[in-house]
Amino acid sequence: MTRESVAPAGRVDGEVNVPGDKSISHRALILGAMARGRTYIGNASPAADVLATAACLRACGVWVRDFPPARYALDGNGVGRLRAPDGVLDCANSGTTMRLLAGVLAGNDIEATLDGDSSLRRRPMSRVVDPLRAMGAEIEASPQGTAPLRVHGTEVLEGLTWRPPVASAQVKSAILLAGLSAAGLTTVVEPIPTRDHTERMLRMCGVEVVSNGAEVTVHPGPLEPFGLRVPGDLGSAAFFLALAASRPGWRVRCPGLGLNPGRIGILEVLQAMGAGVHVEEGDPAGGVEPAGDVEVRGTHLRGVTISGSLTVRCIDELPIIAVLASQADGDTEIRDAGELRNKESDRIATLETGLRLLGVPCDSSAETLTIHGPVRLRPARLDAEGDHRFAMAWAIAAALVPAGDGESVIEGAETAAVSYPGFFADLRKLLAS
Ligand code: S3P
């Protein structure tokens, strides 16, 4: 395990160019592999999660060439044209890899096993196994509905209408990707709409996708290859933007971020807490994914309530929002957040442990976390608990300790590489500027 020490920040004022969006990068590789012909991807995410997707696709016979640090060229063979891999497909720590590839494999007449690390092996997979079985794929999982998943798909699945009980873009995407191999239409009706990268990018590939609020229908059919420059990852930028939001006079600008409507909850939350949020929209990436520059200016923050659709739209940013809430006047209540318990760690439990070490009073129930601010943070020894978002959220907490009160230590800092390998280098650059 790698340990990083982070000292309190002086004034924060600078620009950070964060790497490409992880969710879009996964999908670019997967859709490129399902298209017939050559696809080019630029500014791809260097995340370990995305490398896992590329490796799995290679193992299934797709020619994927990477030009480090951030470009790929790949030759897809078309829908249903994957080759049976020789060994287990290692999804490492990546839920997106496992769930989306389960959907893709369901439409291939091959047998393949998807597995991952101990964190991924604990996460619920019945949410994709059940609908894919209903479409006609044979899938074996553990009795608890967890990985490893042995998938034996078929080239022609049955279309279906599925109503997932939880709002999950990974589940929706798995079903829509399987739907490309269905004999008829496939519809997903979500309890709350989630990020719609898969829908937008399928349209970019010439597939007919009809969205109507929480209901999405995909028509089966072939995909056209594409060229795409991936926009920056708002979820990675969120750490720096939150840091800037915490103090009057602080400022951070992140150019070229993805601004998918299902992802911009963090900006709404920062604004509701009182921070200045300025967005300058640019050209959409690939003509389909909204993108632009974001600048955040700090202030004396106030506590907020986050619930329902807003919780879904900032689901990955809730750890850093909870850290920021410690600096706000009054309570911040994060509701409808039971899904946090199913992420790379039980994020409600991890938050409670770390926040208490930092001296932050907080309490939780199954689906809610309440943070009582404002608090003068104390330096602490914090554990990322194998969860990349905490390697980064705790580093920002360490920077928010008042100057002169001492350094904090983040244990397991290397896990930041799951989504953002250059995070600590970029943080140090910002803090030194
Ligand atoms: C993702 C969807 C979300 C998110 C994850 C990435 C995606 O997961 O938390 O980091 O790329 O589709 P769920 O679908 O489980 O909510």
Side-chain angles (χ1 to χ4, degrees):
M1 282 220 302
T2 310
R3 173 176 300 154
E4 291 272 357
S5 299
V6 179
R11 185 162 169 264
V12 171
D13 187 356
E15 180 162 311
V16 187
N17 269 292
V18 297
D21 186 88
K22 178 159 83 74
S23 288
I24 294 176
S25 299
H26 281 294
R27 287 159 173 84
L29 287 166
I30 291 171
L31 297 189
M34 297 179 87
R36 190 185 280 278
R38 170 99 18 125
T39 280
Y40 296 96
I41 305 167
N43 199 39
S45 163
D49 275 9
V50 173
L51 301 182
T53 291
C56 289
L57 293 170
R58 279 193 193 105
C60 291
V62 183
W63 183 85
V64 183
R65 173 104 196 260
D66 55 326
F67 302 89
R71 282 190 304 128
Y72 286 93
L74 64 161
D75 278 344
N77 301 321
V79 175
R81 292 283 170 272
L82 294 182
R83 201 184 66 202
D86 288 333
V88 166
L89 296 174
D90 184 3
C91 305
N93 189 244
S94 175
T96 308
T97 305
M98 181 167 284
R99 296 195 176 114
L100 269 58
L101 288 185
V104 175
L105 288 166
N108 285 264
D109 185 12
I110 57 171
E111 196 176 293
T113 299
L114 296 159
D115 204 355
D117 66 11
S118 57
S119 155
L120 189 53
R121 276 185 166 207
R122 278 194 301 271
R123 298 178 65 186
M125 293 297 149
S126 301
R127 51 181 67 187
V128 287
V129 170
D130 294 345
L132 297 175
R133 277 186 186 146
M135 294 177 83
E138 282 172 32
I139 309 186
E140 279 172 31
S142 80
Q144 297 76 39
T146 52
L149 305 181
R150 199 167 64 80
V151 184
H152 193 151
T154 166
E155 265 175 46
V156 187
L157 293 162
E158 289 166 38
L160 91 173
T161 295
W162 193 259
R163 292 185 158 72
V166 290
S168 162
Q170 293 175 358
V171 171
K172 171 176 64 177
S173 301
I175 299 169
L176 295 178
L177 293 172
L180 296 170
S181 304
L185 302 184
T186 299
T187 299
V188 181
V189 187
E190 295 193 284
I192 294 175
T194 61
R195 61 187 74 186
D196 62 352
H197 301 302
T198 303
E199 296 93 305
R200 288 170 186 265
M201 293 174 70
L202 281 172
R203 285 190 199 109
M204 176 184 78
C205 296
V207 174
E208 197 174 338
V209 182
V210 183
S211 301
N212 178 5
E215 185 171 320
V216 189
T217 298
V218 67
H219 291 242
L223 279 70
E224 292 154 16
F226 55 91
L228 174 69
R229 186 181 154 77
V230 178
D233 196 321
L234 179 58
S236 297
F239 298 97
F240 306 118
L241 298 175
L243 178 62
S246 67
R247 304 275 187 270
W250 289 11
R251 181 196 73 102
V252 165
R253 184 171 179 276
C254 294
L257 299 178
L259 297 170
N260 184 288
R263 299 278 297 281
I264 54 176
I266 174 70
L267 302 181
E268 291 170 45
V269 170
L270 294 178
Q271 213 151 24
M273 293 177 89
V277 177
H278 181 72
V279 176
E280 199 173 316
E281 279 221 36
D283 290 340
V288 293
E289 282 285 355
D293 305 337
V294 177
E295 183 175 283
V296 168
R297 288 175 183 270
T299 186
H300 292 292
L301 299 171
R302 51 178 176 266
V304 290
T305 297
I306 300 168
S307 65
S309 160
L310 182 54
T311 300
V312 171
R313 282 181 284 118
C314 61
I315 190 76
D316 293 334
E317 289 68 58
L318 291 172
I320 186 58
I321 288 171
V323 166
L324 191 61
S326 72
Q327 304 303 292
D329 271 328
D331 289 355
T332 289
E333 213 176 294
I334 300 172
R335 297 188 194 149
D336 307 317
E339 269 299 293
L340 284 185
R341 298 199 182 276
N342 293 321
K343 297 295 181 188
E344 287 81 332
S345 68
D346 173 342
R347 287 186 175 161
I348 292 182
T350 309
L351 271 168
E352 279 194 284
T353 308
L355 288 175
R356 293 217 169 99
L357 289 168
L358 289 157
V360 182
C362 54
D363 34 64
S364 73
S365 67
E367 300 227 325
T368 303
L369 178 69
T370 306
I371 300 105
H372 309 285
V375 177
R376 183 185 173 99
L377 298 180
R378 54 176 187 236
R381 183 170 285 269
L382 300 153
D383 195 327
E385 302 206 20
D387 185 334
H388 56 122
R389 303 275 177 208
F390 285 100
M392 297 184 277
W394 296 149
I396 299 301
L400 288 172
V401 169
D405 284 9
E407 292 191 343
S408 300
V409 173
I410 293 102
E411 303 276 3
E414 75 286 349
T415 188
V418 160
S419 61
Y420 190 171
F423 171 77
F424 281 94
D426 287 351
L427 176 64
R428 290 193 201 294
K429 229 188 290 165
L430 176 67
L431 295 183
S433 67

